[in-house]
Amino acid sequence: MTVSDPEALYIGTEPWKPKEALEDGGVITDKADIFAFGLTLWEMMTLSIPHLNLPADDDDDEDTTFDEDDFDDEAYYAALGTRPPLNMEELDQSYQKVIEMFSICTCEDPKQRPSAAHIVAVLEEDVHHQ
């Protein structure tokens, strides 16, 4: 399911876009949304926005406001379209299936990502085994 209209543009929110949607001339397929789904799983596990590494503020008394000067533009743009890391120390064994789904959905090569139908089948199989 490749987008065939050469005038069509991939519309998506930057931190969730796959590499192929960030590159000029990238071939957009149905697998672009699978990457975004994988990053949504990451977001639910980390409670963070993908690739938006804001400096930790150790002073709890002070208002935590976003300071553009502290934001690393280069690191942010370099990380777009890649799989963000997970802090495995914060995630126990109960996250294993979700971590596996996140990992396969965020493969850089779209051909390596599962189809939406495969994801549904895996999730339904997991529900039926409980």
Side-chain angles (χ1 to χ4, degrees):
M1 294 194 345
T2 304
V3 175
S4 54
D5 181 353
E7 300 298 310
L9 296 174
Y10 180 83
I11 305 297
T13 309
E14 198 170 62
W16 288 268
K17 282 185 178 182
K19 273 254 192 282
E20 64 269 23
L22 294 162
E23 297 168 343
D24 285 340
V27 178
I28 305 300
T29 67
D30 55 323
K31 301 296 182 84
D33 290 331
I34 300 300
F35 186 88
F37 171 72
L39 288 188
T40 301
L41 293 176
W42 182 90
E43 187 181 12
M44 290 190 298
M45 289 186 282
T46 64
L47 303 178
S48 300
I49 295 172
H51 312 301
L52 202 60
N53 301 319
L54 297 175
D57 190 356
D58 296 332
D59 189 359
D60 291 336
D61 296 335
E62 197 176 320
D63 283 341
T64 53
T65 54
F66 180 72
D67 184 356
E68 273 187 52
D69 295 336
D70 291 338
F71 183 65
D72 187 345
D73 286 30
E74 281 186 37
Y76 169 73
Y77 286 110
L80 290 178
T82 66
R83 179 187 298 139
L86 279 172
N87 183 347
M88 298 308 282
E89 292 174 14
E90 293 178 357
L91 303 171
D92 63 28
Q93 191 61 34
S94 65
Y95 285 88
Q96 189 59 38
K97 291 248 190 230
V98 180
I99 292 168
E100 289 171 12
M101 183 72 70
F102 153 73
S103 294
I104 195 159
C105 288
T106 54
C107 286
E108 221 168 284
D109 179 358
K111 293 180 182 79
Q112 301 276 324
R113 298 177 205 147
S115 65
H118 182 78
I119 291 170
V120 169
V122 168
L123 294 174
E124 284 179 343
E125 182 182 302
D126 201 40
V127 168
H128 294 304
H129 283 126
Q130 290 183 3

